[in-house]
Amino acid sequence: MAELKITKSNFESEVLNSDKPVLVDFWATWCGPCRMLGPVISEIAEERADIKVGKVNVDEEQDLASQFGIMSIPFVAVFKEGKIVKSSVGFQPKEDILALLN
């Protein structure tokens, strides 16, 4: 499944009320490490049917970024039952992102 575009309007339904864990990538187009991480996030979205994968463009969704105190990107968070249970900042290899889901 392709990653979802997460916005303020769908955040509650897609992330907070999800019955599956949700991997959310907070990113921006101007961010070099974000562009490096993008294909990794896309691969995970295609390979893992047991989770949702979403992307939040912090320039377009500044309210969401400030709600979660995002100061550095890329910021990847795993949400379960509406709460962040694990997160990482900066580019991480695929195996490290997958480890967040365990």
Side-chain angles (χ1 to χ4, degrees):
M1 184 161 101
E3 60 263 69
L4 303 163
K5 180 178 182 178
I6 303 294
T7 65
K8 188 175 180 179
S9 62
N10 71 0
F11 187 82
E12 186 173 343
S13 63
E14 293 291 357
V15 179
L16 298 182
N17 296 331
S18 176
D19 55 350
K20 298 178 177 181
V22 187
L23 181 72
V24 180
D25 175 21
F26 291 84
W27 70 287
T29 56
W30 50 263
C31 166
C34 298
R35 289 196 307 271
M36 290 169 47
L37 187 61
V40 173
I41 298 297
S42 295
E43 272 182 39
I44 293 170
E46 293 297 325
E47 295 170 1
R48 297 284 301 262
D50 59 320
I51 63 168
K52 282 187 184 180
V53 178
K55 294 180 73 78
V56 175
N57 183 321
V58 297
D59 288 334
E60 296 173 0
E61 301 296 332
Q62 293 177 3
D63 289 347
L64 282 177
S66 71
Q67 179 180 342
F68 292 99
I70 309 300
M71 302 300 279
S72 299
I73 54 173
F75 180 88
V76 177
V78 176
F79 286 81
K80 289 185 182 172
E81 299 173 3
K83 295 180 175 50
I84 294 177
V85 293
K86 292 190 181 168
S87 63
S88 73
V89 177
F91 176 81
Q92 303 291 327
K94 183 178 178 181
E95 55 272 11
D96 291 357
I97 301 295
L98 291 172
L100 294 174
L101 295 163
N102 298 331

